[in-house]
Amino acid sequence: MKPKLTLKKIAKELDVSISTVSKALRDSPEIGEETREKIKAFAKHYNYKPNNIALSLKNRKTKTIGIIIPEIVHHFFTTVISGVEKVANEMGYNVLVCLSDNSFDKEVLNMEMLANGSTDGFILSLAKETMQKGDYHHLIEAINQGMPLVLFDRVVEDISCDKVIIDDVTGGKKAVQYLVDIGCKKIALISTVDYVSVGKLRTKGYKDALEENGISVNEDLILKIEEMEDSEAEIEQFLKEKDVDGVFAVNEHFAISAIKTIQEQGKKVPDDVSVIGFTDGELSKRFIPSLTTVSQHGMRIGEESARLLIEKLERTPSEEEYYKTIIVETGLVTRNSTKSKK
Amino acid sequence: MKPKLTLKKIAKELDVSISTVSKALRDSPEIGEETREKIKAFAKHYNYKPNNIALSLKNRKTKTIGIIIPEIVHHFFTTVISGVEKVANEMGYNVLVCLSDNSFDKEVLNMEMLANGSTDGFILSLAKETMQKGDYHHLIEAINQGMPLVLFDRVVEDISCDKVIIDDVTGGKKAVQYLVDIGCKKIALISTVDYVSVGKLRTKGYKDALEENGISVNEDLILKIEEMEDSEAEIEQFLKEKDVDGVFAVNEHFAISAIKTIQEQGKKVPDDVSVIGFTDGELSKRFIPSLTTVSQHGMRIGEESARLLIEKLERTPSEEEYYKTIIVETGLVTRNSTKSKK
DNA sequence: TACTACAACGAAAACGTTTTCGTGTTGAAA
DNA sequence: TTTCAACACGAAAACGTTTTCGTTGTAGTA
């Protein structure tokens, strides 16, 4: 086990000073050609690589960005990570991934860990608990300390920073409009509680679409689910009591639970009831019937977030502050859980 | 934007030396009580947190571990990450996640990046291309430099390091034995090419089980798939030609493609053909019919890997080298894609 | 008084870099 | 011979810590 080669060791071995070695390796014209070549050859031969930590300390940049997500076992978030990783790597950055487990405390802890020099900036999607509490002091603190922050997906209005979101309202509208277009009259909504911003916004899209088509909103056809755990039972209960011909669910799981319930009641999807989900995951694609969904392009979201963050990081401090919000448009992927358009 | 507080600034502010501040904050008895309290109060009030980078440089440990996986958009790997993250955090470590995209070059690049001080050790699952090439010089180099390495899932015999694997042979055997038990006679195998070690091992399990039950192995009933992309077509082609009553697929995707094909041929799952997959993902659970699978506990694998690595990291160098291989046992989760046992 | 002992603190090195600012050696111009 | 660039290199500071080893000042002892 040979310890890592350092400038100091090279200097000693070649009987020159540390500064000479450093300069030679960085092709400084200060160093004579002969010496330079000798040093470079030596370094190459013994595979010298500068120590990142020392560089970080010197430059006061770590060249790594931290991403904190509520949960990783979730297709959408992994595609986002994938996107972040891709552009980060292209720009010479590393990615530190932390999980908040949807817990406020873990989110704060993670941020504190990363803020002490481990990371140049953050990409973050808020924990459910954080949104519920409405306590964002940790975000504000990070920003005050000069750490750029990009919020994605689960964002919050009153923090001034870059944001990358999808247009949930329009996404929801598209879905419901499609249901209307294929002839659905009694369209149910299965959503989450309102403090999860996406639930709220998609609900708005649902209502908007109905109103635009002259259909009055029936609160009776709206189910708001608090706990993921008992979602299946709640959905079953809900759908049993209603007579609907279309369902818009704000995520894959709800959509699939809905389909199961509907089928168990002896009705057919899509012949009797059409179902549309949100988030285009593996599940939607391979479920039978495969799911028509509003697709949010996680990869794109990740890419845009990383680009936004790195832009801030590499901007000269003289340039003035400004914050962007990028809206990544949604698509509607039509598959077999909806009747075809006439 | 206030810059970060440092020992130096505290020292200046309180008109003492840097060493005094450092010692006071670490509760050294060298410092008089009065001074100590004053310094601690100041630090607390202005929320001083030591700079991780400086600590890393000083201690020559980063307290972060790197995990390199072939792809993140894959339920199994995310559960592994989740497990790693969990125990890493408990032990005060951060997790750097890198993606190799199944590319040899990216894997090497990632390791080089992380090896230069960013990370104290590695957790790694080999890229497909790496296994194909059989080139492991980057692993050996890392080990030689004194970086502990834990290989998981896709491991390779001839590297001496800690390993965490599942017993693929036994896993495969369990699945096929189950098929035999429920009365299947003509059992097909849908596997990957042999250089993917898991494919090879699960194939061995398949053959072993057949032989133990006195059924001769028919190579005609074995399909080896090279490219994920055209797997669906290949499976369709394959199953169309064969007459089988049981299918063992080495992953979820193959299993689901098989079910689709079977259903399209007008046969019923599980009544006419029983299907078992490998890896217990979201897909298996929610697919209709839900999939009977061999479950590999990704979370457990991640936890064990992290534990193994951290153990190595915190071991005093005097203790002698030894390498463990932990085998995480598989389970068989029976659902609706197989007939019930009589 | 002269010494010792201890308490309380500071200086400096070290981790591995980069960079600024010398400094000594050349060769050529005056 | 002197003077002055240009050249080639080295010393040292800085990034933010921790830690070893002084260095004070004071009190206690003989």
Side-chain angles (χ1 to χ4, degrees):
Chain A
M1 175 181 113
K2 46 180 181 193
K4 270 255 154 193
L5 196 55
T6 69
L7 287 188
K8 195 194 272 191
K9 285 178 197 158
I10 300 183
K12 198 181 207 173
E13 207 65 37
L14 262 42
D15 210 43
V16 290
S17 80
I18 297 181
S19 1
T20 304
V21 178
S22 173
K23 287 172 191 164
L25 292 178
R26 321 194 88 235
D27 277 323
S28 157
E30 269 188 78
I31 305 301
E33 188 165 352
E34 201 185 346
T35 331
R36 197 182 341 144
E37 287 312 321
K38 185 179 65 178
I39 293 174
K40 291 182 82 166
F42 186 95
K44 182 156 199 177
H45 182 240
Y46 289 102
N47 193 28
Y48 168 78
K49 293 273 166 53
N51 180 309
N52 285 333
I53 296 291
L55 285 179
S56 296
L57 185 57
K58 180 110 244 291
N59 303 331
R60 276 110 144 267
K61 324 197 153 179
T62 61
K63 282 276 184 177
T64 84
I65 69 192
I67 175 168
I68 302 178
I69 55 175
E71 43 189 340
I72 196 170
V73 189
H74 198 309
H75 187 264
F76 170 66
F77 285 120
T78 63
T79 56
V80 174
I81 294 183
S82 192
V84 169
E85 238 267 339
K86 184 171 152 229
V87 342
N89 275 16
E90 278 168 12
M91 316 279 284
Y93 283 77
N94 274 93
V95 180
L96 251 168
V97 176
C98 286
L99 275 33
S100 68
D101 275 338
N102 270 317
S103 138
F104 173 76
D105 290 337
K106 256 200 103 180
E107 185 174 291
V108 173
L109 234 54
N110 275 328
M111 287 206 66
E112 282 177 356
M113 279 202 80
L114 300 194
N116 295 318
S118 303
T119 276
D120 294 339
F122 290 108
I123 294 176
L124 172 68
S125 185
L126 290 166
K128 211 189 292 177
E129 208 188 339
T130 306
M131 308 203 69
Q132 195 173 357
K133 274 187 119 156
D135 183 347
Y136 308 119
H137 76 276
H138 50 307
L139 306 187
I140 296 174
E141 223 162 78
I143 294 173
N144 281 343
Q145 304 221 346
M147 298 215 83
L149 170 65
V150 176
L151 249 33
F152 76 92
D153 195 49
R154 298 207 201 139
V155 307
V156 62
E157 279 286 344
D158 35 317
I159 299 289
S160 53
C161 66
D162 286 325
K163 288 161 196 162
V164 178
I165 52 175
I166 62 164
D167 190 339
D168 281 289
V169 178
T170 306
K173 232 162 115 175
K174 270 189 195 170
V176 175
Q177 183 64 51
Y178 188 82
L179 289 173
V180 171
D181 287 349
I182 58 176
C184 297
K185 306 286 181 205
K186 290 161 288 182
I187 301 172
L189 169 69
I190 303 178
S191 179
T192 60
V193 284
D194 274 352
Y195 60 74
V196 177
S197 64
V198 299
K200 191 169 169 184
L201 296 171
R202 290 169 196 174
T203 300
K204 177 163 165 36
Y206 164 83
K207 292 183 176 173
D208 285 2
L210 290 185
E211 277 162 15
E212 280 180 18
N213 287 278
I215 305 175
S216 63
V217 174
N218 180 355
E219 292 287 344
D220 231 37
L221 291 181
I222 298 180
L223 173 64
K224 298 198 175 177
I225 289 177
E226 175 110 24
E227 276 300 323
M228 274 311 251
E229 276 73 49
D230 5 280
S231 63
E232 207 143 339
E234 278 194 62
I235 290 171
E236 200 175 331
Q237 182 65 29
F238 173 75
L239 286 176
K240 211 183 297 177
E241 302 165 348
K242 320 285 171 185
D243 171 37
V244 300
D245 55 7
V247 174
F248 170 44
V250 300
N251 61 43
E252 276 186 329
H253 291 250
F254 293 175
I256 284 173
S257 298
I259 292 180
K260 275 190 184 166
T261 301
I262 292 166
Q263 289 177 334
E264 280 164 13
Q265 289 173 16
K267 296 193 221 164
K268 300 228 170 200
V269 175
D271 301 329
D272 300 323
V273 185
S274 287
V275 178
I276 296 187
F278 214 111
T279 297
D280 191 28
E282 207 58 20
L283 217 51
S284 307
K285 224 178 296 172
R286 324 223 33 161
F287 197 75
I288 300 186
S290 57
L291 267 178
T292 296
T293 60
V294 179
S295 65
Q296 31 179 179
H297 306 106
M299 186 82 96
R300 274 279 306 286
I301 294 180
E303 289 170 12
E304 296 290 354
S305 301
R307 246 190 287 279
L308 231 40
L309 184 62
I310 293 176
E311 201 174 284
K312 274 271 152 45
L313 290 176
E314 309 207 326
R315 160 187 82 112
T316 61
S318 66
E319 298 172 41
E320 66 176 306
E321 287 287 3
Y322 64 99
Y323 295 115
K324 280 193 221 168
T325 293
I326 292 184
I327 297 176
V328 174
E329 85 279 12
T330 57
L332 189 70
V333 183
T334 59
R335 297 207 185 83
N336 300 325
S337 67
T338 48
K339 280 188 289 194
S340 51
K341 230 162 177 164
K342 316 163 213 181
Chain B
M1 174 182 113
K2 46 180 179 191
K4 270 253 153 195
L5 197 55
T6 70
L7 288 187
K8 196 193 273 191
K9 285 178 198 160
I10 300 183
K12 197 180 207 174
E13 208 64 36
L14 261 44
D15 210 41
V16 291
S17 80
I18 297 181
S19 2
T20 304
V21 178
S22 173
K23 288 172 190 164
L25 292 178
R26 322 194 87 236
D27 276 324
S28 158
E30 269 187 78
I31 305 302
E33 188 166 353
E34 198 185 349
T35 331
R36 199 185 336 148
E37 288 311 322
K38 184 180 63 179
I39 292 174
K40 292 181 80 166
F42 186 93
K44 182 156 198 175
H45 181 241
Y46 290 102
N47 192 29
Y48 168 79
K49 293 273 166 53
N51 179 308
N52 284 334
I53 297 291
L55 285 178
S56 295
L57 185 57
K58 180 108 241 291
N59 303 331
R60 277 116 141 261
K61 328 196 149 178
T62 61
K63 283 278 185 177
T64 83
I65 69 192
I67 175 168
I68 303 179
I69 56 175
E71 44 189 340
I72 198 172
V73 188
H74 197 308
H75 187 264
F76 170 66
F77 285 120
T78 64
T79 58
V80 174
I81 294 183
S82 191
V84 169
E85 237 268 338
K86 185 171 151 229
V87 342
N89 275 18
E90 278 168 13
M91 316 280 284
Y93 284 77
N94 274 93
V95 180
L96 250 168
V97 175
C98 287
L99 275 33
S100 68
D101 273 339
N102 270 317
S103 137
F104 173 76
D105 290 337
K106 256 200 103 179
E107 186 175 291
V108 173
L109 233 56
N110 275 329
M111 287 206 66
E112 282 177 357
M113 279 202 81
L114 300 194
N116 296 318
S118 304
T119 276
D120 294 341
F122 290 109
I123 294 176
L124 173 68
S125 186
L126 290 166
K128 211 189 290 176
E129 207 188 341
T130 306
M131 308 204 68
Q132 194 173 357
K133 274 188 120 157
D135 183 348
Y136 309 119
H137 76 276
H138 51 305
L139 306 186
I140 296 174
E141 223 162 79
I143 294 173
N144 281 344
Q145 304 222 346
M147 297 215 85
L149 170 65
V150 176
L151 249 33
F152 76 92
D153 194 50
R154 299 207 201 139
V155 308
V156 63
E157 279 285 344
D158 35 317
I159 298 288
S160 53
C161 66
D162 286 325
K163 288 160 196 160
V164 178
I165 52 175
I166 62 163
D167 191 339
D168 282 290
V169 179
T170 307
K173 233 162 115 175
K174 270 188 194 170
V176 175
Q177 183 64 52
Y178 188 82
L179 288 173
V180 172
D181 287 349
I182 59 176
C184 296
K185 304 288 182 204
K186 291 160 291 183
I187 301 172
L189 168 69
I190 303 178
S191 179
T192 59
V193 282
D194 273 352
Y195 59 74
V196 177
S197 67
V198 298
K200 191 170 171 183
L201 296 171
R202 290 169 196 173
T203 299
K204 178 162 166 35
Y206 164 82
K207 292 183 176 175
D208 285 2
L210 290 185
E211 276 162 14
E212 279 179 19
N213 287 279
I215 304 176
S216 62
V217 174
N218 179 356
E219 293 287 343
D220 233 38
L221 291 181
I222 299 181
L223 172 63
K224 298 198 175 178
I225 289 177
E226 175 109 25
E227 275 301 323
M228 276 311 250
E229 274 74 49
D230 5 280
S231 64
E232 207 143 338
E234 278 194 60
I235 291 172
E236 198 175 333
Q237 183 64 27
F238 173 76
L239 286 177
K240 210 184 296 177
E241 301 165 347
K242 320 286 172 184
D243 172 38
V244 300
D245 56 5
V247 173
F248 170 44
V250 300
N251 60 44
E252 276 185 328
H253 291 250
F254 293 174
I256 283 172
S257 297
I259 292 180
K260 274 191 186 166
T261 301
I262 292 166
Q263 289 177 334
E264 280 163 12
Q265 290 172 16
K267 297 192 220 165
K268 299 229 170 199
V269 176
D271 300 330
D272 301 322
V273 186
S274 286
V275 178
I276 295 188
F278 215 111
T279 300
D280 191 28
E282 206 59 20
L283 217 50
S284 308
K285 224 176 298 171
R286 326 231 20 169
F287 197 75
I288 299 185
S290 58
L291 267 178
T292 295
T293 60
V294 179
S295 64
Q296 30 179 182
H297 306 106
M299 186 82 97
R300 274 279 306 286
I301 294 180
E303 288 171 14
E304 295 292 354
S305 301
R307 245 189 287 279
L308 231 39
L309 184 64
I310 293 176
E311 202 174 283
K312 274 272 152 44
L313 290 177
E314 308 207 325
R315 160 187 82 111
T316 61
S318 65
E319 296 171 43
E320 65 175 306
E321 287 287 3
Y322 64 98
Y323 296 115
K324 279 194 221 167
T325 294
I326 292 184
I327 297 176
V328 174
E329 84 280 10
T330 57
L332 191 69
V333 183
T334 59
R335 297 208 185 81
N336 299 325
S337 68
T338 48
K339 282 187 288 195
S340 51
K341 232 163 176 163
K342 320 163 207 180

